[in-house]
Amino acid sequence: MDKTDSIKITLKDVSKHFGAVKALDEINIQFAPGTMTTLLGPSGCGKTTLLRLISGLEIATSGEIWFGGENVTDLSATRRDVGMVFQSYALFPHMTVERNVGYGLGVLKVDPSEITERVQQALKMVNLDGYQKRYPDELSGGQQQRVAVARAMVLKPKVLLFDEPLSNIDSKLRRSMREDIRKLQKSSGITSIYVTHDQAEALAVSDEVIVINEGKIEQQGPPKSLYHLPKTAFVANFIGESNVVDATLEKDGSGKSVIIGDTCIPLPENKKVPADIGPIQISLRPEMVQIKAESSSGTAIEGVISQSAYMGPVIEYSIETKVGNLFTRAPAHHKQYQLNQKVYLHIEPAELIVIPAPA
Amino acid sequence: MLPSSLNNVSAKTDPGETKPLTILIWIIAGFGAYWFLPWFALEYGLFDATIEEYLASLGWKTRTLTLTVPVFLALFIPIAWSNIPQKRLGWVYTLYTSAGIGLIFFDFIHTQNSMGFSAAVVVMALAAIFAIGISKIGFQRGDSFISGAVVFVIFMVLVFIFYPVTKIFYQVLVSRDGSFAPFQFFRIITSFGVDRVVFNTLFLAISVGATTTLFGLIFALYAVRATTRLRYAVRVLYILPIITPPFVVGMSLILLFGRAGLVNDTLMFLFGNSGFFIPAGAEGIFERSGYIYGFTGIFLAQTLSLTPVSYMLLSGMISTVNPSMEEASLTMRASRWLTLRNVTLPLIRPGIANAFLLGMISSAADFGNPLVLGGEYDVLSTEIYFSIAGAQLDFGKASALGLILLFLSLIVFVIQKKWVGQTSYVTVTGIQTAGNVTPLPKGMQRLFTVFISVWLVLVGALYLSIFLGGFVKQWGADYTLTIAHHRELWMHGVSSGGWPSLKNSLGYSFIAAPFTTMIGVLIAYIITRKQFWGRGFIDFGTVLIFAIPGTVIGVAYILAFNTPPVELTGTAIILIITMAIRAMPVGIRGGMSALSQISTSLEEASLLQRAGSLKTIRSVLLPILRPTIISSMAYSFIRSMTTVSAVIFLATAGTNVATTYILSRVESGDTGVAVAYGSVLIFTMLCFTLLVQVFAGRSRIEKQVKTK
Ligand SMILES: Nc1ncnc2c1ncn2[C@@H]1O[C@H](COP(=O)(O)OP(=O)(O)O)[C@@H](O)[C@H]1O
Ligand SMILES: [Mg+2]
């Protein structure tokens, strides 16, 4: 398959209700052809449900799903041409690796000799050539996962779905496995959707991240923009670490400034902020906040160290301020601050993340 | 990178989609049956009919509505190949086949004829096309195989459960002249001492339920926790009562404790009128006692034969108790006894409740033991039988009593399901020995050892008496060794003595076992995996299958299948169906517990690999379920071989089975012959069980199946 064969996937007003539970509520998404999109959100927010709707294993309560120019809403899972890697691998325990991977080819009545060959190619792709005769219980978790990936890809589906594929794998392997998956996805050019609740994984593997919360899309965009321009406090909190504090946007001569507690921080002219002045929220990521023993300008937030924890290269501090408890880090080779010491938190105005007040 | 040739392998047709050819095959089946098989039931069965009778029964030989059948069927062909859109085609199939099935039944009921084979095949073909029709409309998301399975199961439940049960209601609520008589029920049940019968049944059921639970618990604790060798004996010997027809236990009690039994003989020998030790002036004080007939006997027999069931349930439960919880208690310096009382027993409380309720249901449903040992102690199941047996033929009374028994049993079953919940499907596979289990307290173990030894000696004596009983001239009177009984049964050719009934039993059970296991597992699959409108119907049907006592099935089937349109009494088919229905809980329970341990993602992975549901079931589920299926089949076979309660109503001279034959010999006083046959039956079952154990050994799948 060439990358030009990649298809776009479109969800139009898709909802899924389980009795009274609205697992998904009026979802609209477009997945660009050939990209890897991550669905990110806390447990129970509806990620798996969304994936199952796309696969056809679950049928939407309302709305439409399109694969390219084809409306697949009523198509059964068997006919949708979708490959899926399950969280539990779902390898057939009574079949060898070879028969697991070749299962779908057998269903489609491909020549046995050709099946052997394609299975070998698929296994080579995941570095498992030679494991053909093993049974799943004779493989490690990571190997089982790679067999599952080979099985999902051997039929060259239109769409590849991954449901938290690495959550059962130990953390050291996880990093290299996610890179492998990303590489395979890129070279195959299959439009892929990857579900995870691990934000680091999401940022690392995807072209696009969609943050879901309680059945609704919170924000969609490339990893960088989600990190630097979260539109809601939820996204700011969920992606990376963040202190979200209440603040006010005020007119300040020709420009605008932000009032945090009793600190006023003037904003640079070119900074994008909401048009209306009034209450807003500010996300302060730990790396944006610098602790200093004295205030070098009027734009620092005053506070008292309430807790500190030595973490090796860095020390984590909790600082009690007028706008609440803020947390940040400082390099450990720096000067250490004592408990109850008065400190000043400096913030670079250009880096401030302004979140519009919730409607 | 994969080769680009992979592009052209994507599925073009839905594996669940039915092609016109499938319709054609069903139509041809119906057509063939119509021309060559009897449309009307033959008076004496297919194989005993004369050629004239056979010809006369063919559908196209008559001048009624049946002549339109071929035309009706032929019309499917243009429809199937027409260009009607799938959804509309589905509606056409659905409505057209419904009309066809309706007309066929209407015609048979209207003309008071009974359905023959070809009518059954045509109805089946129409039902299959009906299933294809509703799947095209969208039922089961267009999956015609699952639709077919659902339609088939609903059809079976309708015809073989609901229809017969409604016949019982009809019998009770409609008077002889056909008018509605709601108070007839009360008139019937007040015409004799029904309250005493119900009280007897309940009293027995509660006593037996409590006792078997307690004993089952003792056995289970002992088998799992004791440190003696005797525990291995318990783990093996529990199988004996399960492969024994229940009333044989009753018979052996008579041999030991009956009026002419060994115990009475011994007592008389010692203390009787001409005995050894007659205290002066006390002649005649000791008389032969008939205390075993009545409550004592039934209670003993049921306790002996039902304790193993409770044992299996509880030992499964105890071995799943997490040892660390008990260790936690022990480390807090609680004694083993306190740990047992405060930790272990509360953990298995659901199992205890379950065992009690199941024991109650089984006791109330038991028919063989009260029949053999009942004496004056009337219970519902035997009262039902005696209302019909002989020349009584009081179907009103039998039905009324049957309804009472059915409701009692349903109530207990529903309590059990609600109260104990899903644990009623806990795997009854015996024992998995866990690592560091807490041993029994010392004193308790000693007590149990004594108890179990006494029990095993008693059971040994009972089985020995059955075995020996077949080799003595007249138990109680003449203990001369003889092989006359066995000679009478087995040495006079294969068409007399015990052979015909043994062949029937083996043959029917051999057909019923795979059949019932297949349907049972299918029902389990539908219940655990499918949600759809109308599933409540299957659920309720399943509850009935579990709860309905054998005697009630017997009465219901006589009422339902003795008259048109479906006349089956006197045939082998009705016995096979009865055995299948009686054994169905085995398959359902086994299927449910196995399926609940197989993650649905396996099936989903198969679906996403383009496999249809049929292929998925065949290639993924069935291989994993194989051990369950084999053991369910074996157990169903055993149950079919040993069942009495329902088949005794339905077996005739030509379709006698082993159990009914034995009971008839008991009734005519040939105890020697009866126990001789009984011991052969037990021996056969024992060999069968051992064979299954050897050949079905553990497969690699069992240990691998991942849980969700
Ligand atoms: N089959 C189902 N029946 C009922 N509720 C369900 C079902 N599947 C999911 N849900 C509910 O839908 C919500 C979303 O579930 P899910 O998609 O599995 O979340 P996630 O994968 O993000 O953890 C949860 O509240 C869950 O309880
Ligand atoms: Mg999930």
Side-chain angles (χ1 to χ4, degrees):
Chain A
M1 194 195 272
D2 296 322
K3 291 187 187 184
T4 49
D5 291 342
S6 309
I7 58 149
K8 180 169 86 175
I9 300 165
T10 315
L11 273 66
K12 295 182 186 165
D13 290 332
V14 171
S15 295
K16 177 69 188 178
H17 301 173
F18 295 105
V21 180
K22 283 188 184 174
L24 290 173
D25 197 17
E26 310 247 319
I27 299 283
N28 283 290
I29 316 179
Q30 289 204 358
F31 299 94
T35 59
M36 178 104 148
T37 307
T38 305
L39 303 179
L40 179 65
S43 182
C45 70
K47 308 178 297 285
T48 299
T49 308
L50 189 56
L51 219 53
R52 291 170 60 84
L53 287 177
I54 296 170
S55 70
L57 292 171
E58 209 86 64
I59 286 296
T61 313
S62 62
E64 285 178 4
I65 298 170
W66 290 71
F67 285 4
E70 189 190 1
N71 183 348
V72 299
T73 313
D74 292 326
L75 227 49
S76 69
T78 314
R79 294 183 72 187
R80 281 204 189 172
D81 212 356
V82 165
M84 182 152 167
V85 178
F86 291 83
Q87 190 170 4
S88 59
Y89 318 144
L91 296 180
F92 308 128
H94 57 295
M95 294 184 193
T96 57
V97 167
E98 184 169 32
R99 287 189 54 217
N100 261 290
V101 178
Y103 181 80
L105 293 166
V107 172
L108 297 175
K109 306 244 159 38
V110 174
D111 239 32
S113 61
E114 207 182 327
I115 293 183
T116 317
E117 193 182 312
R118 286 186 189 178
V119 167
Q120 193 188 10
Q121 279 170 344
L123 287 177
K124 229 179 229 160
M125 195 173 72
V126 295
N127 295 325
L128 278 178
D129 192 15
Y131 286 73
Q132 272 89 335
K133 300 293 175 219
R134 301 265 194 114
Y135 280 90
D137 66 343
E138 296 163 345
L139 299 176
S140 72
Q143 289 170 330
Q144 290 183 34
Q145 189 59 279
R146 282 186 278 157
V147 175
V149 172
R151 185 178 64 180
M153 294 188 73
V154 76
L155 293 177
K156 269 280 162 177
K158 287 181 189 153
V159 185
L160 261 178
L161 307 174
F162 299 87
D163 189 358
E164 311 209 11
L166 305 180
S167 61
N168 291 333
I169 292 175
D170 69 75
S171 57
K172 282 206 187 117
L173 251 181
R174 223 179 284 167
R175 187 184 295 262
S176 75
M177 290 256 340
R178 76 185 184 208
E179 277 157 18
D180 289 347
I181 289 179
R182 176 58 166 162
K183 241 185 266 164
L184 284 174
Q185 187 273 331
K186 268 196 172 150
S187 65
S188 69
I190 303 174
T191 314
S192 302
I193 304 169
Y194 188 104
V195 160
T196 178
H197 64 257
D198 177 349
Q199 47 96 18
E201 204 171 298
L203 297 181
V205 300
S206 37
D207 297 309
E208 184 106 344
V209 176
I210 298 176
V211 180
I212 303 181
N213 185 27
E214 294 184 353
K216 291 203 173 88
I217 294 181
E218 200 79 19
Q219 191 172 349
Q220 172 174 9
K224 260 193 184 157
S225 86
L226 285 194
Y227 188 80
H228 293 292
L229 293 170
K231 283 195 188 125
T232 64
F234 178 83
V235 176
N237 273 324
F238 202 79
I239 297 192
E241 293 159 314
S242 174
N243 302 288
V244 175
V245 297
D246 289 326
T248 320
L249 190 63
E250 278 196 351
K251 218 161 171 72
D252 179 14
S254 59
K256 285 175 180 165
S257 59
V258 168
I259 315 284
I260 304 173
D262 48 16
T263 313
C264 177
I265 306 173
L267 295 173
E269 299 258 335
N270 53 359
K271 185 143 185 86
K272 270 194 181 168
V273 288
D276 296 331
I277 57 169
I280 52 164
Q281 286 179 307
I282 296 289
S283 161
L284 301 171
R285 299 213 181 271
E287 69 265 24
M288 294 161 30
V289 178
Q290 278 190 329
I291 307 186
K292 288 190 177 155
E294 60 283 321
S295 170
S296 57
S297 66
T299 62
I301 302 171
E302 191 183 305
V304 172
I305 305 269
S306 64
Q307 240 176 47
S308 70
Y310 177 73
M311 307 291 286
V314 294
I315 299 175
E316 287 188 357
Y317 292 106
S318 250
I319 299 127
E320 191 60 45
T321 69
K322 283 201 176 120
V323 288
N325 220 323
L326 302 182
F327 118 100
T328 186
R329 294 192 186 94
H333 60 264
H334 256 238
K335 156 181 190 285
Q336 291 200 15
Y337 299 95
Q338 307 304 313
L339 226 55
N340 295 326
Q341 186 181 346
K342 192 168 176 181
V343 293
Y344 294 89
L345 302 174
H346 285 260
I347 301 152
E348 186 56 47
E351 286 179 351
L352 269 185
I353 299 172
V354 179
I355 301 168
Chain B
M1 275 306 286
L2 291 169
S4 57
S5 59
L6 275 177
N7 276 333
N8 46 31
V9 295
S10 69
K12 291 290 182 288
T13 55
D14 191 337
E17 189 176 284
T18 24
K19 296 177 206 75
L21 203 62
T22 319
I23 307 280
L24 184 68
I25 291 169
W26 281 111
I27 294 302
I28 289 174
F31 236 68
Y34 177 79
W35 291 111
F36 298 112
L37 289 173
W39 182 262
F40 302 105
L42 289 158
E43 190 82 11
Y44 305 106
L46 194 55
F47 300 108
D48 294 324
T50 63
I51 197 82
E52 286 79 24
E53 282 170 336
Y54 193 90
L55 288 177
S57 71
L58 294 175
W60 43 277
K61 286 286 205 175
T62 56
R63 302 257 161 263
T64 60
L65 204 56
T66 50
L67 281 177
T68 60
V69 171
V71 184
F72 189 91
L73 289 179
L75 268 176
F76 273 104
I77 292 165
I79 298 175
W81 264 275
S82 67
N83 282 332
I84 308 176
Q86 291 293 309
K87 204 152 190 163
R88 193 169 305 163
L89 186 63
W91 279 110
V92 173
Y93 283 153
T94 307
L95 298 175
Y96 194 54
T97 50
S98 311
I101 295 172
L103 275 176
I104 290 175
F105 275 101
F106 173 78
D107 185 50
F108 276 108
I109 293 170
H110 184 66
T111 59
Q112 281 294 300
N113 282 311
S114 294
M115 294 173 81
F117 278 104
S118 69
V121 173
V122 169
V123 167
M124 211 164 85
L126 290 180
I129 301 175
F130 172 84
I132 294 171
I134 57 174
S135 78
K136 279 191 192 298
I137 294 172
F139 183 65
Q140 292 298 324
R141 305 198 37 215
D143 191 320
S144 57
F145 171 74
I146 300 293
S147 294
V150 168
V151 167
F152 177 69
V153 166
I154 289 184
F155 198 74
M156 294 295 290
V157 170
L158 262 183
V159 176
F160 294 111
I161 299 286
F162 281 97
Y163 172 60
V165 170
T166 44
K167 275 288 193 177
I168 294 193
F169 276 98
Y170 185 86
Q171 189 73 31
V172 170
L173 296 177
V174 177
S175 69
R176 243 159 252 245
D177 56 18
S179 60
F180 182 57
F183 297 109
Q184 183 167 279
F185 176 73
F186 298 102
R187 218 190 50 239
I188 295 174
I189 60 168
T190 47
S191 66
F192 63 99
V194 73
D195 45 347
R196 187 180 41 91
V197 179
V198 172
F199 175 82
N200 282 354
T201 308
L202 280 178
F203 184 69
L204 180 70
I206 291 171
S207 318
V208 170
T211 317
T212 52
T213 305
L214 178 66
F215 289 0
L217 187 61
I218 293 177
F219 277 93
L221 282 173
Y222 198 82
V224 182
R225 297 292 174 81
T227 49
T228 58
R229 289 254 183 76
L230 193 62
R231 72 179 193 275
Y232 298 113
V234 174
R235 289 184 197 172
V236 174
L237 289 177
Y238 80 90
I239 195 82
L240 263 185
I242 289 170
I243 60 168
T244 311
F247 62 90
V248 172
V249 176
M251 273 164 40
S252 63
L253 281 179
I254 294 180
L255 295 183
L256 280 191
F257 303 108
R259 219 177 282 278
L262 276 184
V263 173
N264 263 320
D265 274 354
T266 314
L267 286 176
M268 287 308 285
F269 180 70
L270 295 177
F271 307 110
N273 275 345
S274 49
F276 272 157
F277 309 100
I278 327 153
E283 291 90 352
I285 262 193
F286 292 99
E287 284 187 5
R288 284 178 181 272
S289 155
Y291 60 89
I292 201 70
Y293 301 98
F295 178 82
T296 323
I298 310 175
F299 173 77
L300 250 174
Q302 290 188 343
T303 301
L304 283 167
S305 50
L306 294 177
T307 296
V309 179
S310 147
Y311 156 76
M312 281 201 293
L313 211 148
L314 289 169
S315 67
M317 197 95 192
I318 290 177
S319 50
T320 60
V321 169
N322 189 347
S324 57
M325 296 209 199
E326 297 178 323
E327 276 167 5
S329 163
L330 289 172
T331 52
M332 288 185 280
R333 299 180 179 239
S335 67
R336 285 183 197 170
W337 162 244
L338 275 179
T339 302
L340 185 67
R341 204 187 64 190
N342 295 338
V343 179
T344 318
L345 291 186
L347 278 174
I348 59 167
R349 197 179 290 150
I352 293 177
N354 215 345
F356 173 69
L357 296 169
L358 277 181
M360 268 186 80
I361 295 183
S362 315
S363 159
D366 180 26
F367 167 78
N369 287 314
L371 185 71
V372 175
L373 290 162
E376 303 286 288
Y377 197 80
D378 301 325
V379 291
L380 282 167
S381 60
T382 45
E383 266 314 278
I384 292 171
Y385 176 66
F386 289 127
S387 329
I388 302 186
Q392 293 277 326
L393 291 180
D394 187 348
F395 283 104
K397 185 177 168 191
S399 302
L401 289 170
L403 273 188
I404 297 175
L405 182 54
L406 177 59
F407 275 111
L408 286 181
S409 164
L410 265 180
I411 288 168
V412 178
F413 186 81
V414 169
I415 292 176
Q416 182 223 23
K417 270 205 86 169
K418 282 270 168 316
W419 189 19
V420 191
Q422 286 305 102
T423 43
S424 62
Y425 296 111
V426 149
T427 349
V428 191
T429 49
I431 307 143
Q432 310 101 23
T433 23
N436 293 324
V437 294
T438 317
L440 287 176
K442 278 267 156 17
M444 186 182 248
Q445 171 161 328
R446 233 171 279 137
L447 202 68
F448 284 3
T449 305
V450 173
F451 173 79
I452 287 168
S453 308
V454 170
W455 179 287
L456 290 180
V457 167
L458 178 63
V459 169
L462 289 172
Y463 279 89
L464 198 65
S465 73
I466 296 172
F467 178 72
L468 289 179
F471 288 101
V472 297
K473 257 197 182 135
Q474 175 76 52
W475 193 275
D478 183 356
Y479 285 102
T480 327
L481 287 182
T482 173
I483 57 161
H485 304 313
H486 283 283
R487 189 198 297 270
E488 184 193 333
L489 281 170
W490 316 116
M491 308 295 233
H492 293 302
V494 288
S495 52
S496 71
W499 285 113
S501 56
L502 187 63
K503 272 190 299 184
N504 282 347
S505 261
L506 287 170
Y508 300 164
S509 307
F510 195 72
I511 301 172
F515 188 63
T516 188
T517 304
M518 190 193 82
I519 298 178
V521 172
L522 196 61
I523 290 178
Y525 174 76
I526 292 172
I527 289 181
T528 50
R529 295 291 199 260
K530 299 286 162 186
Q531 284 294 339
F532 52 90
W533 183 87
R535 221 204 71 178
F537 181 85
I538 293 183
D539 289 345
F540 185 57
T542 312
V543 168
L544 272 181
I545 291 176
F546 271 83
I548 199 164
T551 35
V552 178
I553 284 269
V555 175
Y557 277 19
I558 290 190
L559 291 172
F561 301 121
N562 210 10
T563 49
V566 189
E567 213 174 328
L568 292 171
T569 44
T571 64
I573 297 174
I574 190 74
L575 285 170
I576 294 170
I577 291 172
T578 309
M579 288 174 172
I581 291 282
R582 300 294 300 140
M584 206 161 281
V586 176
I588 298 177
R589 198 175 274 141
M592 289 196 59
S593 79
L595 281 169
S596 65
Q597 294 186 3
I598 302 174
S599 164
T600 48
S601 62
L602 287 187
E603 288 145 82
E604 291 171 350
S606 169
L607 291 179
L608 290 176
Q609 292 281 302
R610 321 292 185 267
S613 55
L614 181 60
K615 164 83 179 163
T616 300
I617 289 175
R618 224 179 35 218
S619 303
V620 176
L621 281 186
L622 284 187
I624 300 178
L625 286 175
R626 213 191 60 172
T628 306
I629 290 174
I630 290 177
S631 63
S632 293
M633 259 195 232
Y635 193 25
S636 299
F637 182 80
I638 291 171
R639 280 192 65 158
S640 301
M641 287 293 291
T642 54
T643 186
V644 200
S645 52
V647 294
I648 199 165
F649 291 84
L650 300 160
T652 57
T655 58
N656 228 350
V657 290
T659 48
T660 53
Y661 180 84
I662 297 176
L663 271 181
S664 71
R665 299 305 295 255
V666 174
E667 268 176 66
S668 53
D670 303 324
T671 322
V673 177
V675 288
Y677 200 150
S679 53
V680 168
L681 202 55
I682 293 172
F683 186 70
T684 314
M685 297 283 85
L686 203 57
C687 294
F688 171 77
T689 316
L690 290 177
L691 272 181
V692 172
Q693 292 271 330
V694 170
F695 283 105
R698 316 253 132 198
S699 72
R700 54 174 292 113
I701 293 160
E702 237 166 323
K703 63 178 163 62
Q704 293 174 9
V705 176
K706 287 210 179 58
T707 47
K708 230 175 183 173

